[in-house]
Amino acid sequence: MNYSHFVLPFTIGLIVLLAYMLVRFGVWIYKLDSDDKQRILKNIFSIKSLQAIKEIFTESLLHRNIFKTNKVLGYMHMSLAFGWLLLIIGGHIQTWIFYDRLSNPIYIPIFFEYFVHNKAGMLFGEVLTFTMDLILLFILTGVALAYFKRFYSKLFGMKKTTNLKLGDKFALASLWLIFPLRLLAESTAASLHNTGGFLTQNFGNFISGLIPVSFFEPVFWWAYSISLGVFFLSLPFSRYMHIPTELLLIALRKWGVKSKETFDAFADVELHACSRCGICIDPCQMSSTGISKKTPASYFLKSVRDKETNSYDALNCLMCGRCEDKCPVGITTTNQRLAQRINLANERQGDFSYLKDLNYQIKTDVVYFAGCMSHLTPGITRSMIKIFRKAKVNYWFMDEDGSACCGRPQKLAGNLEAMKQLMDFNKKRIVESGAKTIVTSCPICYKVFSEDYKLEIEVLHHTQYLNRLVEQKLLPVQADSKKVVYHDPCELGRGAGIYDEPRKLLTHVATLVATKHEKQDSLCCGGSLGNLEIEAANRSLIAKDVVDELSKPNPDVIATACPLCKKTFIKVSSVQVLDIAELIAMSIPEKNEKSGERKKITVLQEELV
Amino acid sequence: MSKFGFTINKPRVIDYDLADKRVLNYVLKNEPSFNLCIFCGSCTATCSAGNFTDFNIRKLKMFIRRGLVEEIGTEADKCMLCGKCFLVCPRGVNNRNIVLKVREALTKIESHEL
Amino acid sequence: MNKKVVVIGGGITGMEASVQLSALGYSVTILEKEGQLGGHLKDWTVLFPNLRKGNEIVSFLEHGLELQEVNIIYNSKINEIKKINKHYEIILDKQKSITADAILVATGFDLFDAHRKEEFGYGIYENVITSYDLEKIFAQKGEIKTPSGIKPKRIGFIHCVGSRDEKVNNHYCSNVCCVTGVKQAMELKTLIPDAEIFNFYMDMRMFDTHFEELYLESQKKYGINFIRGRLSEANETIDKRIVIKVEDTLTSRPLKMTVDMMVLLVGMEPSKGTKEIANLLNLKMRESGFLKPEDDHTMSNVSNMAGVFFAGTCSGPMSIKYTFTDARAAVTKINCFLKEYELQNRILVN
């Protein structure tokens, strides 16, 4: 007996799903641009594919990243995903052994206990039965946690869970039923034929006292098969589409396909790989402060999938990158948001034809570009000038009398064309100066200079530059007993990966104390240029939270490395807020400095005469 | 001979009864902080674009408030979105978004959506 | 036995209220955190609107203390205030404590710390000073010089520093800076007749009696200039002069001006002491941090705690004239409360 009608829902569902996935994946890959296709061709038959399989195993099955964030949530996902796979593998092994052939109808391993009632003499028969029961129990504990999570999401360290649409409800309901129904089906079968393991046999014996098992056995097998079928058929229309899509995403990434700022097929794969697990909700400060519940990436990506994006939602995000850092699937949420901003940008992007050549020939070694914001923090620019002079650097303060903006704010608003106009203007001036290095005090400028300008020369944020000066002993500094905490600016930290230089610098001049949110986990000050919609008062709301957190170790100074963070904090902080450049400038031994200053003034007077 | 003596390009008086409030209303709806401006001029004084050209964001805002839409032309296109104006504003006016919304409103007027 | 009133703070409000309360027969104690009375007044040489000497007011207040008996505890620090039945027990450091039937909070204001407006360059550029610093320069008598040591030929006054500014979380108007700017401009002009003096303002708020006349006089007799434009940022030239960047909003053009000295007219903030006492006594505060009365029209000196009253600049920025008036008003409220007049039981009917 190798067939029964009840296997049809499962079999049809599975075949339809596989066919659908084949077409869907094919279209995605077809739509990638030719460079990406070349990359895939180059890497598909290399070690990269093995690495992809390894990552699929650790992430899609074991859910290592979710484990890192939350152990209970990680266990829940692992028991369902990995457990299910083990169950399928186990079913196949049983089938291979029992039928003694490798090729069998696809439904047999799934409904093995229905078709096989006499395992006597079967190799490892009892061991396998025991193992299969154990795996089922493992999965059922995960299912129980899932039930529990829906009602008590706080247990999982998450305040809110994501909302569901119709396809999700079908898929979720069927997924929740699959394993309990399998338990019932196998248990009733076990009680009728005495073939169960420790779980199914005992449970089967137990329910045989409550219900007429011979009547219910086929009912449960039907229900089990239907729940599987419904799950497979509703999967493409539900958030569970993320399961197969994530596999493709991992493979594409390993094959060298990269996220871009404009929306492409890869972005679409990412979009559908979002499981809406909700891990991005709590780290989102727009959400945790109650300013905007709609901002977290999970909701935003959903609105993009459903083609319901609008410019307000796209612009009402700090672009701090916290969600991207926490995303267990590795979706580039910042680029996703940027892509929508670019799509929604107005045709009137800005016209800077008034920027004319300034016609002065300056030759220098180092260009110092303070950045627009730094003009409102003279403490920073003055410190940098003092340092350049002290280290006897041949520098040119490019934007001393104000300058064209670096272009990054245009990009953040989705205005790529306007950004290009500004970049062209600035780039020409930088190149013509003949400098080998450009140093900026603003992380926003740093990001665009290093990523978009494609400069042939070295681009450094002042923390990197100062760290080099100090370590090469070109700048004398003296440590003191000040207790300092460091706030990573978003664009410098998560945005550009610069975490170590600022910390090294601070340890040269003060006692650096750790806070709750360090490096990748650092908070956004709230002043972000990335959010074009947020109200002033709400910026302060965020800043207050962050300052409170930074003030907990009772520091003498809150240090940061961004003029915008500094200004945002000063509004709400009772602790002194200083840029690292200021702390370094202050720590230059005073004696030498004074005589230098005096000399400069005399020189000036001579010049005047 | 209805006109004689001299002609003028612009009406001498701001006739507020003829004010074109389409841009004003669009901006107020989408960026309510426009209401908070007291026209102190800090934004214009600090403006990065203002270093290179005669862009005056305070005046732009004032013209929109007075309904002088025809006179603002392409002024809003000069803004670099650098954000200094917000950092000096004593009222917390979100000037960058005002610029974006003015551009949007003008596009909509051109395509007869406003 | 006389009922006891404890007055916290020995500035204008505390001194005047104490002698008035003493005259009504109460036993009064002033708790002063410093070693002398007079508060901010002792730092101010000449006062608006009539250019009277500040120390004349101090003498007037001290004369009151000669006429009426008031206990004064200097250098006092309050650790705790307990309410026991209808009394308050005020515990000072060194375990000393005083009981009070009523408390008058007169903890005053702090000047805005101009370092918080970094773009204005206070503490960074040598020749940026505050109105308070300028008073100290006036007090030194002798020739007026900038911190760099030169006789200033052009001076700029910046209005609304730390007031009416969302960026420092102070949304209110400090009431006295506009007139102070005019007063200090006139004094400077008297001392340096050939100096050019400019006031940069958002609005000139010359609301009180004779303020407008002073404004008029500053133009008529002294030729003080007024430019309607708020400072966005300042720079320093190589010879340490200050470049002021504003928009001249009346010509609609950005304006740059180099001055020898820039004076920041700093506003008032609730003092640190005000916040401390408010926390000890659970007093209601406004969003600005100034003390909040039970009713804005009819209960201006009455706090949410029975027997606790407040007066002067701990409840909001005010000039000396209103500080005197407010101190005396609080005294009648306290008297009403201690004598248990039926008057004090009046309530507002909505």
Side-chain angles (χ1 to χ4, degrees):
Chain A
M1 186 183 67
N2 279 337
Y3 175 77
S4 170
H5 287 315
F6 84 85
V7 302
L8 284 176
F10 160 78
T11 313
I12 294 169
L14 184 63
I15 290 169
V16 170
L17 177 66
L18 289 175
Y20 175 84
M21 293 316 303
L22 207 64
V23 172
R24 193 79 196 256
F25 282 19
V27 171
W28 268 326
I29 292 172
Y30 173 74
K31 279 188 177 166
L32 285 171
D33 70 24
S34 53
D35 287 348
D36 284 337
K37 282 184 201 154
Q38 288 293 325
R39 284 189 195 103
I40 294 174
L41 273 178
K42 201 179 126 213
N43 291 321
I44 194 163
F45 297 112
S46 72
I47 187 119
K48 299 270 165 67
S49 292
L50 289 176
Q51 289 170 349
I53 290 167
K54 186 184 163 230
E55 192 180 326
I56 286 171
F57 186 75
T58 54
E59 296 307 333
S60 303
L61 294 171
L62 299 184
H63 292 90
R64 200 176 48 116
N65 269 329
I66 303 184
F67 249 110
K68 270 193 243 162
T69 316
N70 185 321
K71 297 226 155 31
V72 186
L73 199 66
Y75 176 82
M76 186 187 106
H77 281 84
M78 184 188 76
S79 65
L80 278 169
F82 186 52
W84 199 349
L85 179 78
L86 288 178
L87 215 51
I88 294 168
I89 294 172
H92 278 86
I93 292 173
Q94 280 181 315
T95 310
W96 292 334
I97 294 176
F98 185 82
Y99 292 94
D100 197 21
R101 58 170 189 252
L102 284 178
S103 154
N104 295 292
I106 50 169
Y107 51 81
I108 298 277
I110 310 302
F111 306 114
F112 185 79
E113 294 294 329
Y114 177 84
F115 293 110
V116 177
H117 296 147
N118 182 11
K119 294 183 205 164
M122 179 183 156
L123 196 62
F124 305 123
E126 281 196 20
V127 177
L128 280 167
T129 307
F130 174 83
T131 312
M132 291 298 277
D133 267 20
L134 197 64
I135 297 167
L136 184 60
L137 185 64
F138 174 53
I139 298 175
L140 285 169
T141 55
V143 173
L145 281 172
Y147 289 156
F148 207 64
K149 170 181 170 266
R150 196 121 290 268
F151 304 108
Y152 302 98
S153 55
K154 262 194 187 151
L155 179 78
F156 292 78
M158 300 201 303
K159 283 180 222 86
K160 313 101 196 161
T161 189
T162 46
N163 300 322
L164 299 176
K165 59 177 185 178
L166 190 69
D168 293 330
K169 283 180 183 163
F170 265 98
L172 184 70
S174 51
L175 180 63
W176 278 15
L177 288 172
I178 288 171
F179 298 100
L181 284 171
R182 180 178 173 123
L183 175 69
L184 287 168
E186 289 191 345
S187 299
T188 44
S191 81
L192 287 175
H193 312 291
N194 260 325
T195 49
F198 71 95
L199 177 69
T200 44
Q201 192 63 54
N202 288 324
F203 189 63
N205 294 344
F206 170 69
I207 52 171
S208 66
L210 304 173
I211 52 168
V213 279
S214 52
F215 171 75
F216 274 103
E217 196 226 1
V219 175
F220 286 143
W221 283 114
W222 267 100
Y224 174 46
S225 176
I226 289 170
S227 67
L228 282 164
V230 169
F231 179 70
F232 292 150
L233 290 176
S234 58
L235 186 139
F237 310 102
S238 78
R239 60 193 250 189
Y240 297 104
M241 182 63 189
H242 81 88
I243 299 169
T245 313
E246 190 189 345
L247 311 183
L248 177 65
L249 177 63
I250 291 172
L252 288 177
R253 267 201 303 251
K254 283 289 174 207
W255 292 332
V257 180
K258 290 234 156 53
S259 156
K260 297 169 193 65
E261 281 143 2
T262 44
F263 198 83
D264 66 348
F266 181 78
D268 202 40
V269 172
E270 276 197 345
L271 201 57
H272 288 85
C274 168
S275 66
R276 285 199 274 155
C277 65
I279 285 177
C280 57
I281 297 173
D282 283 349
C284 175
Q285 291 166 270
M286 290 294 288
S287 177
S288 64
T289 45
I291 297 167
S292 164
K293 297 284 174 198
K294 281 175 78 181
T295 300
S298 170
Y299 299 122
F300 182 70
L301 294 179
K302 180 179 182 297
S303 77
V304 178
R305 269 195 306 270
D306 299 346
K307 301 194 167 45
E308 285 168 356
T309 31
N310 59 58
S311 116
Y312 180 82
D313 290 340
L315 295 175
N316 192 22
C317 162
L318 298 162
M319 303 293 268
C320 66
R322 279 174 60 77
C323 52
E324 183 162 329
D325 177 63
K326 308 276 183 210
C327 178
V329 186
I331 297 172
T332 56
T333 51
T334 314
N335 272 355
Q336 288 280 352
R337 185 98 46 175
L338 204 51
Q340 295 309 314
R341 291 180 178 194
I342 291 165
N343 274 347
L344 293 161
N346 194 267
E347 62 203 55
R348 294 177 80 126
Q349 295 212 346
D351 175 4
F352 311 116
S353 49
Y354 56 79
L355 290 173
K356 297 274 156 33
D357 279 352
L358 296 172
N359 275 334
Y360 42 78
Q361 297 285 315
I362 286 182
K363 292 288 166 197
T364 185
D365 296 336
V366 175
V367 169
Y368 175 53
F369 189 93
C372 298
M373 300 297 169
S374 307
H375 285 86
L376 299 172
T377 53
I380 298 176
T381 49
R382 300 269 299 193
S383 299
M384 286 304 291
I385 291 167
K386 180 178 168 183
I387 290 163
F388 282 128
R389 287 181 181 167
K390 187 73 207 169
K392 301 190 176 69
V393 176
N394 176 23
Y395 77 101
W396 169 44
F397 189 167
M398 174 170 155
D399 57 341
E400 185 163 19
D401 302 315
S403 153
C405 169
C406 64
R408 175 89 182 139
Q410 295 287 359
K411 186 179 193 176
L412 288 169
N415 296 343
L416 294 187
E417 203 279 317
M419 170 195 177
K420 194 176 172 307
Q421 289 183 45
L422 293 172
M423 290 202 312
D424 288 348
F425 176 76
N426 286 324
K427 188 172 176 177
K428 189 162 178 283
R429 295 181 76 197
I430 296 166
V431 170
E432 281 173 2
S433 74
K436 295 175 212 72
T437 306
I438 175 164
V439 177
T440 175
S441 286
C442 177
I444 302 162
C445 304
Y446 174 74
K447 189 157 166 76
V448 75
F449 283 152
S450 56
E451 285 181 6
D452 299 289
Y453 271 60
K454 311 272 181 266
L455 291 164
E456 306 283 319
I457 63 170
E458 182 182 42
V459 179
L460 295 175
H461 181 258
H462 72 221
T463 51
Q464 297 172 292
Y465 183 69
L466 297 180
N467 190 50
R468 183 185 295 177
L469 288 183
V470 170
E471 299 210 326
Q472 293 180 354
K473 310 261 182 240
L474 294 169
L475 189 69
V477 287
Q478 256 175 358
D480 70 11
S481 58
K482 268 197 299 289
K483 190 156 103 177
V484 175
V485 292
Y486 176 62
H487 165 80
D488 288 281
C490 299
E491 297 270 68
L492 194 65
R494 280 181 299 269
I498 296 173
Y499 297 110
D500 297 334
E501 288 93 335
R503 289 177 169 78
K504 277 191 210 158
L505 263 179
L506 285 170
T507 51
H508 284 299
V509 298
T511 309
L512 182 62
V513 186
T515 59
K516 189 175 161 195
H517 300 272
E518 291 274 332
K519 301 191 176 178
Q520 279 86 351
D521 188 39
S522 65
L523 296 165
C524 171
C525 70
S528 161
L529 276 182
N531 192 328
L532 284 117
E533 294 284 354
I534 185 172
E535 271 176 55
N538 287 336
R539 288 187 186 277
S540 300
L541 207 64
I542 294 175
K544 190 85 189 66
D545 278 356
V546 181
V547 165
D548 286 350
E549 200 56 57
L550 290 167
S551 305
K552 275 185 186 161
N554 290 317
D556 299 311
V557 175
I558 294 174
T560 185
C562 169
L564 191 51
C565 295
K566 187 184 180 198
K567 286 215 78 72
T568 310
F569 284 158
I570 281 178
K571 182 176 174 187
V572 293
S573 179
S574 54
V575 181
Q576 190 180 23
V577 184
L578 290 173
D579 190 280
I580 290 182
E582 294 172 277
L583 283 161
I584 296 296
M586 283 175 196
S587 68
I588 297 172
E590 197 60 34
K591 231 181 177 176
N592 302 334
E593 187 51 34
K594 263 192 181 154
S595 59
E597 283 282 303
R598 213 173 289 139
K599 218 178 281 166
K600 223 152 273 150
I601 290 167
T602 31
V603 168
L604 267 168
Q605 280 164 347
E606 280 164 17
E607 279 171 2
L608 286 170
V609 171
Chain B
M1 283 290 283
S2 62
K3 281 183 188 171
F4 60 94
F6 60 91
T7 56
I8 44 169
N9 294 329
K10 274 192 268 185
R12 191 174 50 81
V13 176
I14 297 173
D15 187 345
Y16 195 75
D17 298 336
L18 298 176
D20 180 351
K21 293 185 195 164
R22 289 176 295 176
V23 180
L24 173 65
N25 290 335
Y26 185 82
V27 177
L28 282 179
K29 187 173 156 236
N30 293 292
E31 184 47 65
S33 74
F34 188 22
N35 262 326
L36 308 178
C37 182
I38 48 172
F39 303 94
C40 68
S42 338
C43 44
T44 300
T46 202
C47 181
S48 291
N51 276 323
F52 296 91
T53 184
D54 58 351
F55 175 52
N56 186 326
I57 185 171
R58 181 199 57 82
K59 195 170 152 188
L60 172 69
K61 288 186 282 183
M62 189 53 105
F63 272 50
I64 290 163
R65 282 218 93 98
R66 296 289 179 266
L68 305 171
V69 171
E70 279 184 15
E71 290 178 45
I72 59 180
T74 57
E75 275 301 289
D77 297 344
K78 295 177 181 171
C79 169
M80 297 178 177
L81 297 182
C82 76
K84 273 181 89 186
C85 50
F86 172 76
L87 276 194
V88 298
C89 178
R91 285 299 187 92
V93 176
N94 192 359
N95 289 305
R96 295 196 310 149
N97 205 27
I98 289 176
V99 167
L100 292 184
K101 297 308 167 216
V102 170
R103 290 176 185 170
E104 262 172 44
L106 294 174
T107 313
K108 281 179 191 289
I109 286 175
E110 266 171 40
S111 58
H112 306 288
E113 284 173 62
L114 261 189
Chain C
M1 218 178 105
N2 290 343
K3 289 202 168 170
K4 291 174 196 151
V5 183
V6 168
V7 177
I8 304 174
I12 297 175
T13 309
M15 289 170 87
E16 180 62 14
S18 302
V19 296
Q20 299 283 357
L21 285 163
S22 171
L24 288 169
Y26 297 108
S27 161
V28 183
T29 305
I30 298 180
L31 301 179
E32 169 55 48
K33 70 175 181 346
E34 287 176 22
Q36 55 176 324
L37 297 178
H40 293 277
L41 183 57
K42 53 187 188 294
D43 300 322
W44 236 253
T45 45
V46 174
L47 307 175
F48 60 77
N50 50 13
L51 307 185
R52 152 179 298 120
K53 299 267 183 295
N55 55 24
E56 289 175 26
I57 307 278
V58 180
S59 308
F60 175 87
L61 288 163
E62 283 168 352
H63 192 199
L65 289 167
E66 285 160 23
L67 296 172
Q68 292 295 332
E69 196 191 325
V70 172
N71 304 316
I72 304 165
I73 303 178
Y74 293 104
N75 301 314
S76 60
K77 189 184 177 306
I78 299 169
N79 281 342
E80 201 188 343
I81 303 178
K82 285 190 229 168
K83 189 168 189 198
I84 300 162
N85 300 323
K86 285 177 134 189
H87 307 284
Y88 286 92
E89 194 178 341
I90 301 164
I91 298 154
L92 305 174
D93 47 353
K94 295 165 204 153
Q95 306 305 316
K96 228 164 90 178
S97 78
I98 321 172
T99 51
D101 298 292
I103 293 175
L104 177 65
V105 181
T107 41
F109 69 95
D110 283 343
L111 282 167
F112 173 75
D113 175 11
H115 290 97
R116 289 179 62 203
K117 290 298 288 179
E118 186 174 348
E119 60 267 41
F120 293 0
Y122 185 67
I124 299 172
Y125 308 139
E126 200 166 85
N127 292 310
V128 177
I129 63 169
T130 65
S131 43
Y132 175 79
D133 300 330
L134 183 60
E135 282 302 319
K136 285 200 282 195
I137 294 175
F138 287 149
Q140 286 163 6
K141 314 281 177 193
E143 206 182 338
I144 299 291
K145 282 189 177 162
T146 67
S148 292
I150 65 153
K151 187 176 149 188
K153 294 196 186 68
R154 194 189 275 160
I155 299 128
F157 282 88
I158 307 298
H159 288 236
C160 297
V161 178
S163 312
R164 303 178 66 196
D165 189 358
E166 184 264 343
K167 290 292 174 290
V168 291
N169 255 331
N170 292 345
H171 297 262
Y172 53 87
C173 164
S174 284
N175 291 22
V176 298
C177 329
C178 279
V179 64
T180 301
V182 170
K183 183 214 77 162
Q184 291 189 333
M186 288 162 65
E187 283 177 275
L188 266 179
K189 186 74 180 173
T190 312
L191 294 164
I192 318 168
D194 58 345
E196 275 185 297
I197 300 178
F198 294 85
N199 278 48
F200 295 89
Y201 68 97
M202 291 201 279
D203 300 285
M204 289 299 290
R205 297 192 161 175
M206 311 301 276
F207 60 93
D208 203 7
T209 326
H210 309 307
F211 283 15
E212 186 66 23
E213 282 92 326
L214 201 72
Y215 183 16
L216 188 68
E217 197 184 329
S218 75
Q219 294 173 287
K220 204 161 130 186
K221 277 199 197 163
Y222 297 83
I224 309 293
N225 303 286
F226 292 87
I227 296 180
R228 190 191 176 278
R230 182 179 176 276
L231 180 68
S232 68
E233 69 226 64
N235 286 315
E236 192 183 48
T237 64
I238 206 139
D239 54 348
K240 308 244 171 212
R241 298 172 80 211
I242 305 298
V243 182
I244 287 172
K245 270 179 86 177
V246 300
E247 187 203 353
D248 179 3
T249 58
L250 302 182
T251 60
S252 287
R253 289 168 69 178
L255 179 146
K256 277 186 190 178
M257 182 191 287
T258 310
V259 296
D260 300 309
M261 185 165 80
M262 182 167 90
V263 185
L264 305 176
L265 293 162
V266 284
M268 294 185 183
E269 285 188 330
S271 69
K272 216 172 140 241
T274 300
K275 287 176 191 159
E276 283 166 12
I277 299 297
N279 285 334
L280 288 177
L281 279 165
N282 277 324
L283 300 183
K284 282 188 196 157
M285 287 182 277
R286 296 181 195 274
E287 223 185 294
S288 57
F290 287 111
L291 298 182
K292 188 172 162 46
E294 278 298 87
D295 180 77
D296 271 317
H297 290 114
T298 60
M299 298 283 163
S300 56
N301 301 100
V302 183
S303 82
N304 52 304
M305 299 291 287
V308 178
F309 301 83
F310 55 80
T313 48
C314 61
S315 67
M318 58 180 82
S319 63
I320 292 173
K321 176 175 115 179
Y322 289 105
T323 307
F324 268 98
T325 312
D326 204 42
R328 290 164 187 164
V331 169
T332 65
K333 268 286 169 201
I334 294 169
N335 190 37
C336 211
F337 169 78
L338 291 176
K339 295 256 165 68
E340 296 177 27
Y341 291 154
E342 213 182 320
L343 274 177
Q344 65 135 353
N345 299 326
R346 284 179 294 174
I347 49 161
L348 271 173
V349 182
N350 287 332

